[in-house]
Amino acid sequence: MTTASQQPTPETSAASDTPDAPDTSVTFINVFEIDAENLDGFLAHWQERAALMSTKPGFLDSRLHRARSSETRFQLVNVSHWASEEEYAAAGADPEFQRRTKAAAESAQAPVVPNPGLYDVAVEFVGPAASRPAASQG
């Protein structure tokens, strides 16, 4: 089983392995406004597009977060990490990804409003739980 501590992060990317090399990794965040009752259909198509993106050069990881309350404005929040902005842009320009994204937007039974953007870490705090080994699940 893979634990969160084993997932690649911008801090463990190849660009940051060299002490003097600048970290070129980026974080892509996309928050989705969608009615809670339409999530299941959207999730199936999102997962297909994410699986395609996960095969692209520079992809590090991705997590899609689902709101616990149906009253939350942003029902889904995607956070993914890429080795560089250039690799992220190349992956997003892939014709198959573009086709799938367009098809999903056109077939949506309910409006979905994405709010994408690239981000760099401005401030980071790591809690004591981050240094503990992951619990074994057997």
Side-chain angles (χ1 to χ4, degrees), residues 2 8-9 12 16 24 30-31 40-41 46 59 61 77 82 87 94:
T2 302
T9 63
T12 60
S16 63
T24 60
N30 196 356
V31 295
D40 292 335
W46 184 91
F59 175 84
D61 64 33
V77 177
W82 290 82
E87 288 170 307
D94 176 76

Side-chain angles (χ1 to χ4, degrees), residues 1-34:
M1 180 176 152
T2 302
T3 64
S5 63
Q6 295 170 322
Q7 296 295 320
T9 63
E11 293 75 30
T12 60
S13 68
S16 63
D17 288 345
T18 308
D20 295 329
D23 184 8
T24 60
S25 64
V26 295
T27 301
F28 172 75
I29 300 174
N30 196 356
V31 295
F32 297 92
E33 293 182 80
I34 181 173

